[in-house]
């Protein structure tokens, strides 16, 4: 397989609204990002991924674009963007943008024109259907954010499709003009010098012919079998690659919604020339049984090992994936998979040790490098995310849960957890803004903040820095052959990785108790590359005692 810059690179995702507010209006902005580029560089980041920065009415915080080639005024100007790109490149980092091409905003000119008349040349940019025989929506599809996926346009008596909110009409990729519009927008940014795109819900762009009803197989399966992986998705991705991406030194990172280990190769195998890599949902959703705000399961380490293995096997030697344990759509990684109270620091470090030693491109989400945690919002008035708000409203009608329980579910699973402003210091609003932020700052910013961790050599932040620096020297972290040890152990995750001359063992304790591990290898002379504690307790050259949430990487050579 080809070893390209983006495979070994570490991606840092910025959610601009919550990153850093330079003009003090309570909303993060591009100049705020420029201010922090040295900080990002200090983490040994290679690629910055910006969540959408384009004009948008912000029904879904920028994932509803009203103009693909302009900057959202709240975030700044095109000059600010040009400077951000230049300054990123000057520091030896790359910049990728978020391409939201499955849908646009209902305030995009295309949709406004399309609505005016069924004869508009823009009508066919979207999916319009006549009502079903009872006058209701054309089929039973549900939106990802609750309710029907169809909205009636009263003027024409037709419904349009929106897999997300009703302000996010799906684009009709069957129409070659739509595809050309999207490719033109991509070229506009690539010509400026951006280095690629993260592709939002890209597996959804081709809809099944005839829009058949979905069988009642659970939302997750419906996504896989009905909404995603449509009949022409590969034709479109191939075309996009051929006409756009391959013409530049750029790469694509897809959001792999609805993709599983059986079809991932069709998207990312190198010879197919579609996508460079994708991140799947199996780890991110491993405690979510069917969909958000439904049944949740206990975190299970063996299940997680199986997921990592399954995906490793699926793409072995032929394609590539990225690994993430958090992003702007999920609750915070340390709160979900670690312990955000007693063992906050220990578990944050251990989880990152695991994530950064999985084969694949490493994705870090802003704030995880200081172990930012979930927030407890006190009332629904503090909730900002449209997905959570829709759930709360729908629940008022169905009365499935009490209001208190619905809020608790939002606090556990909601996307606002990941979107609270980055905690830069112990100053007002965590140093994010002097004005009231658009979403509450987590009150724990007094203890958990960048400034404090910067000055502490043992902080989570400096642990990330150290590990990322070492990762650059050890290709084995990224490409090594992976050998599981004690696969069925429910508390310990242990693996050996080898590549040419390099050989490491990763030992991770997921338990909040001490654990004993006996190795096959004599590790007497091994070098401790990474240790989340200040010492490593050994009884003899084969017996390792692990403290709660301790993580270690040993260099066997
Ligand atoms: C993706 C984004 C999410 C957004 C949705 C609709 O899943 O990550 O934030 O709401 O697509 O664009």
């Amino acid at each position: 397989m080809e070893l390209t810059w983006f495979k070994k690179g570490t991606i840092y995702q910025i959610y601009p609204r919550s990153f850093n507010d330079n003009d003090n209006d309570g909303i993060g902005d591009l100049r705020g990002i420029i201010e922090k580029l040295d900080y990002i560089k200090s983490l040994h980041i290679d690629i910055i991924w910006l969540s959408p920065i384009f004009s948008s009415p912000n029904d879904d915080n920028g994932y509803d674009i009203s103009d693909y080639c302009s900057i959202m005024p709240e975030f700044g100007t095109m000059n600010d963007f040009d400077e951000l790109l230049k300054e990123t490149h000057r520091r030896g980092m790359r910049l990728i943008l978020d391409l939201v091409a499955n849908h646009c905003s209902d305030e995009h000119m295309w949709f406004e024109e399309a609505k005016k008349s069924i004869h508009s040349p823009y009508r066919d940019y979207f999916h319009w259907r006549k009502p079903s025989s009872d006058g209701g929506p054309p089929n039973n599809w549900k939106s990802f954010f609750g309710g029907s996926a169809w909205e009636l346009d009263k003027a024409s008596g037709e419904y349009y499709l929106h897999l997300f909110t009703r302000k996010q009409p799906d684009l009709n990729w069957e129409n070659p003009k739509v595809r050309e519009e999207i490719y033109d927008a991509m070229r506009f940014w690539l010509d400026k010098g951006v280095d690629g795109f993260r592709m939002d819900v890209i597996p959804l762009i081709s809809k099944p012919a005839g829009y058949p009803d979905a069988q009642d197989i659970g939302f997750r399966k419906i996504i896989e079998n009905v909404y995603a992986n449509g009949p022409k998705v590969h034709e479109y991705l191939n075309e996009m690659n051929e006409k756009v991406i391959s013409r530049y030194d750029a790469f694509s990172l897809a959001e792999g919604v609805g993709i599983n280990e059986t079809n991932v190769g069709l998207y990312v195998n190198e010879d197919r020339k579609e996508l460079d890599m994708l991140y799947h949902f199996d780890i991110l959703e491993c405690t979510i049984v069917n969909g958000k705000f439904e049944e949740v399961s206990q975190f299970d380490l063996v299940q997680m090992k199986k997921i990592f293995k399954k995906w490793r096997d699926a793409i072995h030697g032929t394609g590539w994936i990225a690994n993430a344990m958090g992003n702007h759509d999920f609750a915070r990684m340390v709160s979900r998979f670690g312990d955000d109270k007693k063992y906050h620091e220990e578990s944050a470090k251990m989880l990152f040790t695991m994530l950064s030693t999985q084969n694949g491109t490493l994705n870090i989400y802003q704030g995880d490098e200081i172990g930012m945690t979930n927030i407890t919002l006190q009332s629904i008035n503090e909730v900002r995310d449209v997905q959570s708000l829709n759930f709360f409203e729908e629940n008022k009608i169905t009365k499935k849960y009490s209001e208190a329980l619905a809020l608790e579910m939002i606090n556990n699973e909601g996307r606002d957890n990941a979107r609270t402003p980055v905690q830069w210091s112990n100053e007002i609003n965590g140093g994010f803004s002097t004005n009231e932020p658009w979403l509450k700052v987590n009150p724990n910013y007094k203890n958990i903040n960048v400034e404090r961790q910067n000055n502490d050599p043992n902080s989570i932040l400096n642990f990330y820095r150290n590990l990322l620096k070492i990762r650059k020297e050890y290709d084995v972290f990224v490409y090594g052959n992976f050998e599981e040890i004690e696969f069925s152990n429910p508390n310990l995750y242990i693996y050996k990785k080898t590549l040419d001359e390099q050989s490491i063992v990763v030992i991770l304790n997921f338990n909040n108790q001490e654990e004993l591990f006996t190795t096959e290898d004599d590790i007497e002379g091994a070098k401790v590359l990474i240790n989340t504690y200040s010492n490593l307790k050994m009884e003899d050259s084969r017996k390792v005692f692990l403290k709660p949430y301790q993580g270690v990487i040993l260099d066997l050579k």
Side-chain angles (χ1 to χ4, degrees):
M1 282 224 312
E2 237 188 296
L3 310 186
T4 37
W5 57 269
F6 48 77
K7 288 186 181 156
K8 204 177 154 189
T10 299
I11 301 177
Y12 185 82
Q13 182 195 351
I14 292 182
Y15 195 70
R17 214 175 179 72
S18 309
F19 190 64
N20 184 34
D21 179 15
N22 170 273
D23 63 1
N24 285 313
D25 61 353
I27 296 169
D29 45 47
L30 299 182
R31 301 215 71 82
I33 301 173
I34 297 172
E35 249 174 46
K36 299 292 182 186
L37 285 174
D38 286 333
Y39 166 74
I40 299 170
K41 182 71 187 171
S42 80
L43 288 165
H44 307 285
I45 297 301
D46 304 287
I47 302 159
I48 297 174
W49 148 23
L50 293 185
S51 276
I53 53 166
F54 320 102
S55 290
S56 162
N58 283 312
D59 191 48
D60 187 17
N61 287 353
Y63 284 91
D64 47 322
I65 299 175
S66 54
D67 179 353
Y68 284 83
C69 297
S70 72
I71 301 288
M72 189 189 308
E74 285 171 335
F75 287 172
T77 63
M78 195 58 88
N79 283 342
D80 295 333
F81 176 79
D82 291 340
E83 189 177 328
L84 170 61
L85 182 62
K86 193 170 116 222
E87 289 300 314
T88 305
H89 284 163
R90 197 166 67 77
R91 287 166 176 80
M93 296 184 287
R94 311 256 191 163
L95 189 71
I96 66 170
L97 299 181
D98 214 311
L99 179 78
V100 189
N102 172 69
H103 46 268
C104 61
S105 161
D106 68 340
E107 295 182 35
H108 195 294
M109 180 275 281
W110 301 333
F111 192 74
E112 287 179 342
E113 287 299 318
K115 250 184 23 177
K116 285 186 186 158
S117 146
I118 54 167
H119 305 295
S120 160
Y122 291 100
R123 188 75 175 181
D124 196 34
Y125 274 40
F126 300 91
H127 299 266
W128 299 94
R129 305 296 284 174
K130 298 221 165 1
S132 67
S133 49
D134 65 358
N139 71 18
N140 69 356
W141 292 6
K142 294 262 167 294
S143 144
F144 279 71
F145 295 157
S148 169
W150 297 93
E151 181 73 8
L152 180 65
D153 166 46
K154 289 207 182 89
S156 65
E158 289 186 345
Y159 282 85
Y160 66 86
L161 176 68
H162 61 88
L163 289 178
F164 295 88
T165 75
R166 61 171 68 93
K167 286 184 68 62
Q168 294 170 295
D170 280 50
L171 285 162
N172 176 17
W173 275 67
E174 289 269 351
N175 182 345
K177 284 201 201 122
V178 167
R179 306 206 295 276
E180 277 309 322
E181 299 267 17
I182 296 293
Y183 303 158
D184 278 346
M186 293 170 77
R187 289 185 196 109
F188 172 84
W189 295 103
L190 290 165
D191 287 339
K192 276 186 176 287
V194 310
D195 302 288
F197 296 96
R198 176 264 187 183
M199 296 184 178
D200 190 68
V201 296
I202 202 78
L204 308 184
I205 55 179
S206 164
K207 314 297 183 215
Y211 309 89
D213 269 341
Q215 304 301 312
D216 189 11
I217 45 177
F219 198 60
R220 218 169 163 170
K221 282 271 164 243
I222 291 179
I223 296 172
E224 268 182 48
N225 296 351
V226 185
Y227 298 171
N229 310 309
K232 296 202 177 150
V233 67
H234 298 295
E235 184 186 316
Y236 300 154
L237 289 176
N238 212 266
E239 180 183 89
M240 183 198 268
N241 186 281
E242 204 276 311
K243 290 192 165 173
V244 191
I245 296 280
S246 65
R247 312 274 167 124
Y248 297 82
D249 181 20
F251 83 106
S252 54
L253 158 70
E255 183 186 26
V257 64
I259 293 181
N260 61 34
E261 70 282 6
T262 64
N263 62 5
V264 58
L266 298 175
Y267 288 87
V268 299
N269 280 355
E270 278 177 6
D271 58 358
R272 295 200 36 103
K273 307 215 175 318
E274 293 190 15
L275 298 167
D276 291 304
M277 65 178 92
L278 61 81
Y279 64 86
H280 60 81
F281 276 56
D282 282 358
I283 295 290
L284 291 161
E285 289 194 331
C286 71
T287 55
I288 300 171
V289 179
N290 243 324
K292 272 232 177 109
F293 309 131
E294 290 183 37
E295 194 188 338
V296 287
S297 62
Q298 277 292 320
F299 171 71
D300 172 351
L301 179 61
V302 177
Q303 184 208 355
M304 194 172 74
K305 295 184 200 179
K306 285 186 187 154
I307 295 172
F308 276 125
K309 178 169 175 357
K310 181 170 89 176
W311 284 88
R312 247 190 345 264
D313 292 347
I315 52 132
H316 184 72
T318 53
W320 199 248
I321 56 168
N323 293 306
M325 291 188 86
N327 62 36
H328 65 294
D329 291 331
F330 290 89
R332 281 282 175 186
M333 138 180 182
V334 69
S335 303
R336 294 185 64 198
F337 304 107
D339 172 348
D340 63 7
K341 305 219 159 47
K342 187 164 174 203
Y343 293 110
H344 172 243
E345 257 190 59
E346 292 81 353
S347 61
K349 291 176 182 174
M350 186 278 291
L351 288 170
F352 187 58
T353 309
M354 177 188 73
L355 188 64
S356 62
T357 48
Q358 296 293 333
N359 293 22
T361 298
L362 174 61
N363 259 22
I364 298 176
Y365 180 63
Q366 69 179 32
D368 280 344
E369 75 275 19
I370 55 167
M372 280 179 63
T373 68
N374 282 355
I375 188 170
T376 306
L377 298 171
Q378 303 300 332
S379 99
I380 192 67
N381 299 328
E382 290 183 343
V383 175
R384 294 286 174 271
D385 175 29
V386 66
Q387 183 179 36
S388 298
L389 291 169
N390 283 0
F391 160 67
F392 197 82
E393 281 307 306
E394 214 170 277
N395 186 60
K396 273 189 185 160
I397 299 161
T398 62
K399 298 204 168 28
K400 199 166 167 195
Y401 313 103
S402 69
E403 290 207 351
L405 184 55
L407 183 63
E408 194 183 317
M409 291 164 80
I410 290 171
N411 277 329
N412 287 334
E413 293 175 66
R415 306 194 295 182
D416 283 335
N417 280 307
R419 300 175 179 188
T420 62
V422 171
Q423 297 160 207
W424 295 104
S425 69
N426 64 8
E427 279 159 37
I428 184 163
N429 300 322
F432 165 76
S433 178
T434 51
N435 213 328
E436 195 188 333
W438 69 278
L439 168 66
K440 212 170 135 181
V441 180
N442 195 316
N444 65 18
Y445 75 84
K446 296 237 161 38
N447 292 320
I448 302 176
N449 64 62
V450 171
E451 191 176 71
R452 183 170 179 174
Q453 295 197 18
N454 216 3
N455 300 326
D456 170 4
N458 295 318
S459 64
I460 303 170
L461 177 61
N462 282 316
F463 180 84
Y464 266 62
R465 285 184 174 133
N466 183 33
L467 205 163
L468 287 170
K469 183 156 172 258
I470 293 176
R471 194 174 187 271
K472 285 206 183 305
E473 294 153 25
Y474 280 78
D475 280 357
V476 65
F477 279 37
V478 188
Y479 302 110
N481 275 321
F482 205 104
E483 186 193 327
E484 303 268 1
I485 300 167
E486 293 209 21
F487 193 65
S488 54
N489 189 317
N491 296 321
L492 297 179
Y493 190 10
I494 305 159
Y495 42 94
K496 191 169 168 179
K497 293 187 73 173
T498 45
L499 181 78
D500 305 327
E501 297 298 289
Q502 296 179 349
S503 174
I504 57 166
V505 177
V506 182
I507 308 171
L508 308 163
N509 181 9
F510 271 76
N511 200 353
N512 58 8
Q513 310 286 321
E514 277 204 358
E515 288 278 337
L516 174 67
F517 166 62
T518 309
T519 73
E520 275 171 23
D521 298 285
D522 184 334
I523 53 173
E524 178 81 69
K527 178 175 157 198
V528 181
L529 262 191
I530 289 291
N531 185 357
T532 58
Y533 277 73
S534 54
N535 59 355
L536 182 61
K537 199 167 130 199
M538 299 198 38
E539 195 175 87
D540 58 39
S541 62
R542 285 177 203 274
K543 278 208 177 84
V544 186
F545 285 94
L546 294 153
K547 297 257 188 217
Y549 292 105
Q550 187 163 18
V552 190
I553 305 178
L554 302 174
D555 182 348
L556 296 179
K557 288 279 149 116

